[in-house]
């Protein structure tokens, strides 16, 4: 027994003939007859009798038609719900995403503006955390997925899709003498006030080692923990900072410029999610929206 057979039963009861049923359903008359015969065989019940060329429904057909109608209504509801899920009119109660703290100001609102128009029935919860915290939130299934800097092992049960890269740059005020250089070396930063990020983080420790090898003492004026605050401090003339070009590109609206920092190092960024936990349609669409916004934020101007 299948849905098409039930549709034939419903339509036959409404039209009273195989010819009209065939026309309504876009089938051949023989196709209608075959589906009706298959349904009767599957149910082991006679549903219609012929009387002078007319099809007369049996009492059993009228009783079973109620069940058929309920099944078909349920199928219609399911199809409609699936369409709502695909179109964004409905979805899971909430989609949760983890992002670095430096992406709250401009990146996240721009990403969500388009997404919310396409998925009005979905509520979004954003977590702005460090890479370590985002890893943990993904592993514990607190969030659907997270964007993070790829630093060593991501942890058991997590898979990471690389979606962006960056290279170390020095961010300086537009009117700073260093802004005239094509690239900035460690020795160029001798006696220059620095705004540094992430003490005890692997990338910060590597940067400190670079200064030691070059024999340049750091003059750290401000320690901070977000790329956004570092760029803002630079814009206010409080010093210069060394961050990934990925984040520097998010703050090109500030009165700062960034120059390649030598020795050059690269960074990779990815989307992390729990292995064995497929994303919902709404969550997958949000990850696509994030990738699109990455492309917008990183393209050259």
């Amino acid at each position: 027994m299948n849905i098409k057979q039930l549709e034939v039963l419903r339509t036959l009861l409404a039209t009273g003939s195989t010819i009209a049923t065939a026309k309504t359903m876009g089938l051949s008359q023989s196709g209608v007859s075959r589906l009706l015969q298959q349904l009767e065989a599957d149910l082991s019940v006679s549903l219609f009798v012929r009387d002078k060329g007319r099809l007369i429904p049996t009492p059993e057909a009228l009783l079973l038609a109620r069940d058929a109608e309920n099944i078909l209504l349920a199928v219609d509801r399911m199809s409609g719900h699936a369409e709502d899920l695909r179109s964004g009119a409905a979805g899971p109660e909430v989609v949760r995403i983890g992002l670095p703290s430096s992406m709250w100001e401009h990146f996240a609102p721009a990403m969500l503006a388009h997404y919310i128009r396409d998925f009005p029935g979905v509520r979004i919860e954003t977590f702005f955390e460090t890479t370590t915290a985002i890893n943990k939130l993904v592993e514990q299934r607190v969030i659907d997925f997270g964007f993070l800097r790829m630093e060593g092992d991501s942890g058991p049960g997590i898979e990471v899709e690389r979606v962006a890269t960056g290279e170390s740059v020095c961010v300086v005020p537009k009117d700073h003498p260093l802004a005239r250089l094509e690239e900035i070396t460690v020795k160029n930063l001798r006696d220059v006030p620095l705004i540094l990020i992430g003490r005890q983080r692997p990338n910060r420790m590597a940067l400190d080692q670079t200064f030691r090898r070059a024999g340049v003492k750091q003059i750290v004026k401000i320690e901070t923990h977000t790329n956004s605050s570092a760029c803002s401090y630079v814009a206010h003339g409080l010093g210069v900072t060394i961050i990934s070009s990925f984040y520097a590109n998010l703050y090109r609206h500030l009165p700062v410029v960034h120059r390649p920092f030598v020795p050059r190092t690269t960074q990779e960024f990815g989307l992390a999610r729990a292995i064995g936990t497929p994303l919902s349609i709404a969550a997958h669409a949000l990850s696509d929206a994030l990738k699109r916004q990455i492309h917008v934020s990183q393209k050259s101007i």
Side-chain angles (χ1 to χ4, degrees):
M1 183 169 55
N2 59 47
I3 299 300
K4 187 64 73 175
Q5 293 168 354
L6 299 181
E7 290 177 339
V8 164
L9 174 60
R10 179 174 64 181
T11 310
L12 264 173
L13 289 171
T15 64
S17 75
T18 56
I19 295 175
T21 296
K23 185 176 181 180
T24 299
M25 295 184 63
L27 301 171
S28 65
Q29 188 176 358
S30 61
V32 170
S33 298
R34 183 172 60 256
L35 287 167
L36 178 59
Q37 290 168 5
Q38 290 171 351
L39 180 59
E40 290 178 321
D42 290 342
L43 296 173
S44 299
V45 172
S46 178
L47 299 174
F48 291 87
V49 295
R50 290 190 176 274
D51 181 20
K52 298 179 181 179
R54 294 186 305 120
L55 284 177
I56 308 298
T58 65
E60 291 78 13
L62 297 175
L63 288 172
L64 292 173
R66 298 172 191 170
D67 293 333
E69 185 64 26
N70 288 335
I71 292 170
L72 292 172
L73 286 173
V75 170
D76 288 343
R77 283 196 299 271
M78 185 176 180
S79 297
H81 193 192
E83 174 58 31
D84 288 344
L85 289 170
R86 289 193 299 271
S87 67
E93 181 182 351
V94 60
V95 174
R96 296 179 173 89
I97 176 176
L99 295 167
S101 300
S102 295
M103 298 174 78
W104 71 268
E105 188 175 1
H106 297 285
F107 185 97
M111 172 188 72
L112 293 178
H114 296 288
Y115 176 80
I116 288 174
R117 282 203 302 269
D118 294 336
F119 284 79
V122 176
R123 179 164 63 89
I124 304 102
E125 187 171 356
T126 53
F127 293 72
F128 294 99
E129 300 286 353
T130 64
T131 287
T132 301
I134 290 173
N135 257 312
K136 186 173 292 186
L137 290 171
V138 171
E139 189 174 5
Q140 295 173 346
R141 272 50 170 193
V142 174
I143 59 178
D144 295 285
F145 65 95
F147 177 82
L148 43 71
R149 181 168 172 166
M150 298 168 68
E151 296 177 333
D153 187 10
S154 59
I158 296 177
E159 61 182 6
V160 183
E161 174 193 3
R162 184 172 67 85
V163 295
T165 59
E167 65 174 26
S168 294
V169 295
C170 191
V171 181
V172 303
K174 278 188 174 181
D175 58 357
H176 196 284
L178 290 174
R180 295 193 290 270
L181 300 178
E182 292 286 328
E183 59 185 24
I184 296 173
T185 69
V186 175
K187 292 185 177 181
N188 294 137
L189 297 177
R190 192 185 302 274
D191 299 327
V192 175
L194 299 176
I195 300 160
L196 296 185
I197 300 173
R199 188 191 301 173
Q200 303 305 317
R201 293 282 298 278
N203 54 308
R204 170 63 185 279
M205 289 190 285
L207 179 63
D208 292 345
Q209 183 63 30
T210 298
F211 273 82
R212 282 194 292 270
R213 283 198 301 265
V216 176
K217 182 180 178 181
Q218 296 171 329
I219 301 179
V220 182
K221 285 296 183 183
I222 301 176
E223 292 272 2
T224 188
H225 299 282
T226 65
N227 294 280
S228 55
S229 62
C231 288
S232 183
Y233 293 151
V234 172
H236 283 79
L238 300 176
V240 305
T241 191
I242 301 164
I243 61 174
S244 173
S245 60
F246 176 85
Y247 289 114
N249 287 335
L250 303 185
Y251 293 93
R252 288 184 287 204
H253 61 284
L254 295 175
V256 300
V257 297
H258 57 262
R259 298 288 182 258
F261 177 70
V262 180
R264 299 189 182 218
T265 57
T266 60
Q267 305 83 38
E268 295 187 332
F269 302 86
L271 291 182
R273 65 182 184 90
I275 295 173
T277 305
L279 295 179
S280 66
I281 292 174
H284 195 277
L286 184 55
S287 73
D288 287 343
L290 188 148
K291 292 175 187 177
R292 286 194 298 272
Q293 189 58 34
I294 287 173
H295 176 73
V296 170
S297 71
Q298 299 301 305
K299 66 183 180 182
S300 300
I301 56 175

